[in-house]
Amino acid sequence: MKTTSFLFMLLFLAACTATPKINVVDSMGIKMELSESARVLTSVALSPDGKYELSTTLRGNNIRIWDISEGKQVNLITGHGLLRRAEFSPDGKYIISGGGGDSIIQMKGTVILWDSSTGREIKQWPGTVGNSVAFSPDGSKVLSDGYSGTEAVIKVWEIKTGNQIMTLHKSPPVNNARFSPDGKYILGRGKEGNVSLWDAESGNLLRQFPHYKWVTVVDISPDGKYALSGGHEGTIKLWDIATGEEIRAWEPHHWYGLCHDVTTARFSPDGGYILSAGCDQNLKLWEVSTGKQIRQFTGHGRGRVASDTGLRAVFSPSGKYAVSGGADATLRIWDVTTGEELAMMVGFDNGEWLVITREGYYNSSEKGAQYLTVKADNKDYTVDQFYDVFYRPDVVSAKLRGEDIKDLITITMKEAIKSPPPTVDVVPLKDTDSPKIKVCYSARTTGGGIGEVRLFHNGKLIQSDGYYREVARSTTDKTKLASLNSKAIYEDMRSVSIKGKIDSVPVSVKPKGDVFEDCKDIDAVPGDNEISVTAFNSSNTVQSYMKTINFNSKIKTEDPHLYILAIGIDQYKDNNVNLKYAVKDAKDLEEKLRVQSATLYRPENIHYLLLTDREATKPSIVTKVNELSNTIKPQDSFILFVAGHGVLLQNQYYMLTHDYDGMVNDNSMISSNEIVEVSKKIKSLSQLFIFDTCHAGGVDAIVSGLYDARMSVLAKKMGLHIYASADDKQAAMDGYKGNGLFTYTLLDGLNNNREADNNKDGKVTVVGLGEYSKKKTTDISKEIGRTQTPLIINFGKDSPIYKLQ
C-alpha cells in the first residue's frame, strides 16, 4: 500500500506540470481558461471568525490569505517548499502548514508555524511530511500526519516549548487526522484499514472503526458523538464514537481517471449536515439524520490531472456558506442554503490574484485579470478587457456579504461577449529629434461595432472621444448632505451623499462605422516613448487588446517644473453644509509642498495656485485648469489637492464647488468624468490627485464602495496616483489638531519624515507618502475611537516628492 500511495503521488505531481492551461467550467455558463501559473489547490481553511480564508498549492509553495468579506487577497506567505495542508489556530493569530521537502520524491518534510498577520515564520519542526496538520482546540498543541522517513506517523508537539510529546504509528497515512472538539482525542488512520481513536494525553488506542483499506479523510462531530471516515474506494461512513458501531455508509462520488477518493467529509458547525467531495469535482450536502442528499454545488472543472485531485472543502463557522478548492485551481464560495456560487477566487504564482462573481464583476490585483480567459464563439477575451464595466470591488464585496446586487449591475459578462470588440493598430514610428510627432492609429470592427477609442502615451490617457456613463442630475429637490438614511452626520465630518437610483445615459460618441482612423500630434519626452491604443465595442462593454509601439526621442532634456493646484472650500452657498478646516488644509498642504519640493526643483520652477471659497467656483476652477494645460509639459509634475464636500450619485463621484446651493446640477459640481478630462488636458506624465473628501457614516454599505471603484477606474484610465481620504462607508474627520485627519498625516509625512522614505534612499516618493499617510490615518483613527482608512491607488511610475534633509 505504501508503494501504491507513493506511485499515486508521483503521478499527481508529474501531471501538474504536463499541461499549460487549466480548463474551468464556470457557473456563469461560459467556458473559461486559467493561465498555467494557477496551481492545483491542496487545502482550504477558514479563520475562526469566518472572515479570512487560506489556501495552499502544491507547486506554488505558498499560503494565500483572502479577506472573504472584501473579496481580495490580503497576504501571501512563501517559503515552505512542497505544501500539502495549512490551518488557522483557534484564535486566528497563527497558521500551521505541512508539506514535503524541496523535491517531489523527498519523503522528509517540515511543519511550520507562522504569524498569520505578518507572514513571519515563528517555529518549524522538520522531519515529517505534513499530509495534514491541525491545532488542538486550546491552541497549545499541533499535530501532523504523514511520513517520517518511510514510516507513517502522527506526531504531536507542544507549541510553547517546541517539544515533541507524542508519536502515533500507523500505515498508510490519512490526509486529515484531527483533534476532537474537546481536545481529549485524536482521530486518524490506524492499521489495516481501520480508523483509530487515541487518547490525546497518553497516546493510548481507545477504539477502532473498521472502514475499508485506505482511509483518506476523517472528522468528528461538534458534540463529539460521531465520527466520519472517507476512503480511497469512494465510501463515506458515519460512526457512533461511544459504541464503535457503523450508523450509515454511502458512496457519494464517482471515479475520475485513476481516482475514486473521498477528499472531503466534514460536519457542519451545528452537526446536522455533512459536506462531501471527491475526485469527480462534485461537492454535496447531506443530512446527517436521514442520510439524504440535500444539495449539489456545481461549477468546478476537472482540471488537468487524474489522481489526488478531489475538492477540499470546509463550512464557514456560521454554516451559511462553504468554501471549496481543487484541481481547477479555483476557490469557490457557495451559499449553503441556495447552492449559488457567490464568487470564484484564483491566485497565481507571481502573486497576482482575481476574485470574480458569477455575473462577471470582479476585483483583482493590478495584473490579475490578465490571466483568466473567457472563451466564446472560438474567440478568447481576457477578463481585463472588461475592466471599465466589470471591475467593481464594491459589487464583489456586496455579493460576498450575501446582499442583493441586482440594482448594482447592468449587464453580465455572458451578455457582454455577444458583442466582440474591434481590432486596433498603430502606425510604427521611427526615432526622432523633433519635440512633436504625429501618431496615426485605427480601429476595425469584428462584428460588435466601434465605441470609444483611447490613446495612451507612456501609460497616461491623452486622447479619447468621451465615452463615460453620466447620470441625470437635474432635480427640484435640495440634496441634504447632513442627513442620510435617517441618521444625522456630524457637522465636523466631510460627507458624500447617495441619491436614489438614477438611470445612466451614455455620452454621445460620433458614429465610426466599420473602420475608424485618426492621427494626433503628441509632445515627445526625452528617451523612450510608448504609444498604446485600445478600442471598445459599440456598447462600450468589452475592450480590445491594446496595441503598443515604441520610439526613442533625442530631444534635449529640460529641467522639470512642478505645478500645484490646491482647492479648499469651507463656505458654500448652502450654508447648512459649511466646513471648518478645508481652506486651512489646502493652504497648509500647498505651503508644505512648495517648501519641500525645493529640495528637488529650482525655486523658479515651482508654480502654485490656491483657490478657496468664493474663488473656487466651477468656472474659475475650469479656467485655471485650461491655463495650466497650455503651460505644463510631459516632463513636468502636477499635483491637485481638493478639500471640501464630495457627492456620490449612483457610481459617479462629484466634488462640490463654492456655488453649491443644495441643488444637484452641473453648474456647481465637477464630476469624475470631468476630472478624467483634467488629466487628459494636463500633459504631465507624473500626476498626483488628492481628494480629502469622503463617505459619511450613514452611507449604505451596498453602494458606498462605488466611490472606491470609480476612483480605481480613474487611476487605470489616467495612469496616475490617487489619494482619497476614506474608503467604503467610513467617515473622514474634519478636525484633528487643526486639520482634517488625512491632511494632518500628509503634512506629517511631508515634514522631513524618514518613516515615509519607503525606499530608504533619502527621498520621499508619491508611493511612500501615500503608504505612510494611510497607515498613520488608520492608526490615529483607531486610537481616538473612529475608523478611517484612506484609499491609495498607485498606477504607473513612482516619482520623488522631496529629499530628506
Side-chain angles (χ1 to χ4, degrees):
M1 187 63 72
K2 291 179 184 177
T3 302
T4 303
S5 170
F6 183 65
L7 288 175
F8 268 115
M9 187 174 79
L10 286 179
L11 284 170
F12 169 57
L13 292 167
C16 283
T17 62
T19 309
K21 297 282 187 178
I22 300 176
N23 289 319
V24 181
V25 180
D26 192 79
S27 59
M28 283 189 284
I30 52 180
K31 296 283 186 179
M32 307 186 83
E33 194 172 72
L34 282 169
S35 158
E36 67 275 9
S37 64
R39 302 296 180 186
V40 174
L41 298 174
T42 58
S43 71
V44 297
L46 288 171
S47 59
D49 59 5
K51 183 178 180 180
Y52 299 103
E53 190 276 334
L54 66 78
S55 60
T56 62
T57 54
L58 184 64
R59 292 189 66 251
N61 302 341
N62 54 51
I63 302 169
R64 293 180 188 272
I65 302 179
W66 306 83
D67 185 321
I68 293 180
S69 62
E70 293 296 326
K72 63 183 180 182
Q73 179 182 302
V74 293
N75 204 353
L76 182 66
I77 301 174
T78 60
H80 191 121
L82 294 173
L83 270 166
R84 296 289 294 178
R85 297 288 185 272
E87 295 278 349
F88 280 104
S89 63
D91 59 7
K93 294 181 179 180
Y94 306 101
I95 292 171
I96 193 75
S97 63
D102 294 328
S103 70
I104 62 175
I105 60 173
Q106 184 178 346
M107 299 310 296
K108 289 185 178 181
T110 303
V111 174
I112 301 178
L113 182 71
W114 311 86
D115 184 301
S116 63
S117 61
T118 66
R120 180 177 60 88
E121 180 184 315
I122 298 173
K123 190 174 296 183
Q124 66 171 265
W125 296 274
T128 299
V129 177
N131 280 349
S132 69
V133 287
F135 284 96
S136 61
D138 64 1
S140 65
K141 304 180 188 70
V142 64
L143 67 75
S144 71
D145 180 3
Y147 281 107
S148 180
T150 58
E151 280 192 301
V153 298
I154 296 172
K155 291 185 177 182
V156 181
W157 291 275
E158 186 178 55
I159 292 177
K160 185 176 181 179
T161 63
N163 295 333
Q164 181 178 325
I165 58 177
M166 189 180 302
T167 300
L168 306 175
H169 291 266
K170 63 202 178 48
S171 178
V174 70
N175 283 334
N176 63 345
R178 59 185 59 250
F179 286 95
S180 62
D182 58 11
K184 293 181 179 180
Y185 310 109
I186 295 173
L187 185 69
R189 170 68 165 88
K191 295 182 179 181
E192 300 175 353
N194 292 315
V195 178
S196 299
L197 186 72
W198 291 277
D199 184 284
E201 289 296 326
S202 66
N204 293 331
L205 180 63
L206 302 177
R207 188 177 298 284
Q208 295 196 91
F209 308 92
H211 188 91
Y212 173 74
K213 293 185 178 179
W214 190 358
V215 175
T216 53
V217 290
V218 296
D219 197 21
I220 301 179
S221 62
D223 61 8
K225 293 181 179 180
Y226 305 102
L228 276 178
S229 60
H232 179 54
E233 81 293 350
T235 301
I236 291 178
K237 293 189 176 184
L238 178 68
W239 307 90
D240 186 305
I241 287 181
T243 66
E245 294 181 0
E246 178 185 312
I247 299 174
R248 186 172 293 109
W250 56 98
E251 190 173 334
H253 298 283
H254 306 294
W255 280 89
Y256 174 57
L258 300 176
C259 182
H260 195 204
D261 292 5
V262 174
T263 52
T264 291
R266 301 295 291 265
F267 283 102
S268 62
D270 64 3
Y273 299 93
I274 294 170
L275 196 63
S276 73
C279 293
D280 58 4
Q281 301 302 304
N282 289 318
L283 187 66
K284 297 182 179 182
L285 184 70
W286 308 86
E287 190 175 51
V288 172
S289 60
T290 64
K292 292 182 179 179
Q293 180 178 319
I294 304 299
R295 190 162 289 109
Q296 180 167 310
F297 308 89
T298 58
H300 276 285
R302 293 186 185 274
R304 54 188 173 184
V305 287
S307 63
D308 196 23
T309 60
L311 294 177
R312 317 293 176 182
V314 292
F315 280 102
S316 68
S318 66
K320 293 181 179 180
Y321 61 87
V323 178
S324 60
D328 64 0
T330 70
L331 285 167
R332 312 283 177 125
I333 302 177
W334 310 90
D335 185 307
V336 171
T337 302
T338 65
E340 179 188 2
E341 179 188 312
L342 300 179
M344 179 176 80
M345 300 178 170
V346 190
F348 304 95
D349 281 352
N350 57 4
E352 303 287 345
W353 55 271
L354 170 74
V355 179
I356 187 167
T357 71
R358 59 178 301 187
E359 296 83 6
Y361 293 88
Y362 73 94
N363 189 10
S364 74
S365 57
E366 183 179 343
K367 298 179 181 178
Q370 298 177 11
Y371 303 115
L372 180 62
T373 301
V374 179
K375 308 177 76 67
D377 298 327
N378 297 318
K379 295 179 181 178
D380 293 351
Y381 308 99
T382 56
V383 169
D384 66 337
Q385 289 180 255
F386 301 85
Y387 183 92
D388 277 55
V389 175
F390 291 94
Y391 177 73
R392 291 290 298 275
D394 59 305
V395 173
V396 174
S397 60
K399 185 72 181 285
L400 289 173
R401 289 193 299 267
E403 295 165 359
D404 188 349
I405 64 170
K406 67 177 183 294
D407 290 334
L408 297 176
I409 63 176
T410 57
I411 190 173
T412 66
M413 193 171 287
K414 184 177 181 181
E415 294 167 339
I417 59 177
K418 294 177 182 178
S419 178
T423 58
V424 296
D425 199 10
V426 188
V427 177
L429 296 171
K430 295 181 180 180
D431 293 349
T432 181
D433 56 6
S434 173
K436 285 187 178 290
I437 191 166
K438 179 174 285 189
V439 176
C440 294
Y441 53 99
S442 62
R444 188 177 300 272
T445 185
T446 60
I450 303 174
E452 184 189 5
V453 180
R454 295 176 181 169
L455 184 68
F456 297 84
H457 180 203
N458 286 11
K460 174 186 174 291
L461 180 65
I462 60 173
Q463 175 66 33
S464 66
D465 49 357
Y467 170 78
Y468 306 105
R469 290 211 173 258
E470 293 283 10
V471 294
R473 292 175 301 280
S474 298
T475 177
T476 57
D477 298 324
K478 285 199 171 187
T479 302
K480 297 180 179 180
L481 299 184
S483 179
L484 191 64
N485 291 346
S486 302
K487 294 181 180 179
I489 298 172
Y490 295 105
E491 287 184 27
D492 62 352
M493 291 182 185
R494 301 214 173 101
S495 62
V496 171
S497 70
I498 304 292
K499 289 288 290 182
K501 183 175 175 62
I502 302 173
D503 293 332
S504 61
V505 294
V507 173
S508 59
V509 179
K510 285 184 179 180
K512 296 185 177 67
D514 292 338
V515 179
F516 172 78
E517 297 177 335
D518 198 7
C519 294
K520 181 174 177 62
D521 289 330
I522 70 165
D523 294 302
V525 295
D528 292 333
N529 288 255
E530 180 184 88
I531 303 296
S532 302
V533 63
T534 186
F536 288 78
N537 57 6
S538 58
S539 59
N540 291 290
T541 54
V542 190
Q543 183 180 353
S544 73
Y545 284 103
M546 187 172 286
K547 182 63 179 284
T548 299
I549 62 169
N550 296 82
F551 70 92
N552 187 273
S553 174
K554 300 175 183 178
I555 62 175
K556 182 181 179 181
T557 301
E558 298 180 6
D559 287 339
H561 290 237
L562 172 64
Y563 294 84
I564 304 167
L565 174 58
I567 302 169
I569 307 172
D570 284 338
Q571 303 296 320
Y572 294 86
K573 285 188 177 179
D574 182 357
N575 294 327
N576 294 320
V577 299
N578 285 348
L579 296 170
K580 299 177 182 179
Y581 298 103
V583 169
K584 186 175 185 300
D585 285 350
K587 289 180 178 178
D588 290 351
L589 195 73
E590 176 266 327
E591 181 180 1
K592 181 63 72 173
L593 283 169
R594 176 164 47 87
V595 171
Q596 293 294 67
S597 62
T599 59
L600 294 174
Y601 298 87
R602 292 182 178 180
E604 63 270 22
N605 288 354
I606 302 172
H607 314 274
Y608 48 93
L609 180 63
L610 178 67
L611 298 177
T612 62
D613 289 340
R614 295 189 180 186
E615 300 170 323
T617 63
K618 182 172 182 177
S620 176
I621 294 171
V622 170
T623 298
K624 295 303 181 184
V625 167
N626 288 334
E627 291 175 359
L628 289 170
S629 69
N630 293 324
T631 305
I632 298 176
K633 297 178 180 180
Q635 66 267 25
D636 297 332
S637 296
F638 174 63
I639 298 176
L640 171 67
F641 176 80
V642 178
H645 275 301
V647 179
L648 187 66
L649 302 179
Q650 206 171 8
N651 71 337
Q652 279 261 30
Y653 167 76
Y654 298 83
M655 57 170 282
L656 302 186
T657 64
H658 167 74
D659 324 73
Y660 179 73
D661 61 359
M663 305 297 289
V664 177
N665 60 66
D666 278 335
N667 298 327
S668 60
M669 303 162 65
I670 297 178
S671 72
S672 49
N673 286 339
E674 291 172 299
I675 295 170
V676 171
E677 296 303 317
V678 170
S679 180
K680 287 197 302 184
K681 287 180 180 180
I682 302 295
K683 296 176 182 178
S684 166
L685 297 181
S686 176
Q687 299 186 17
L688 170 60
F689 284 18
I690 305 173
F691 298 95
D692 197 353
T693 62
C694 75
H695 294 293
V699 177
D700 188 348
I702 296 177
V703 292
S704 63
L706 291 172
Y707 175 83
D708 304 349
R710 182 62 191 175
M711 298 312 291
S712 298
V713 171
L714 290 181
K716 181 92 171 186
K717 290 175 179 175
M718 296 190 283
L720 50 65
H721 304 271
I722 294 177
Y723 301 167
S725 58
D727 67 355
D728 202 30
K729 62 174 181 178
Q730 300 172 347
M733 295 174 54
D734 189 36
Y736 182 80
K737 296 186 178 181
N739 289 103
L741 176 56
F742 184 54
T743 299
Y744 171 84
T745 62
L746 286 172
L747 292 169
D748 187 34
L750 289 167
N751 192 27
N752 206 41
N753 195 319
R754 296 189 179 277
E755 291 184 49
D757 176 15
N758 63 340
N759 296 323
K760 304 306 177 188
D761 61 358
K763 297 177 183 177
V764 173
T765 66
V766 174
V767 172
L769 178 62
E771 291 178 355
Y772 174 81
S773 299
K774 178 178 180 177
K775 182 180 185 304
K776 202 71 174 176
T777 301
T778 304
D779 291 345
I780 293 175
S781 67
K782 288 180 179 178
E783 290 174 6
I784 59 180
R786 305 280 186 104
T787 304
Q788 182 179 338
T789 307
L791 174 71
I792 307 297
I793 302 171
N794 299 301
F795 184 79
K797 188 177 180 180
D798 193 12
S799 58
I801 296 178
Y802 72 95
K803 287 182 181 179
L804 292 167
Q805 295 175 310

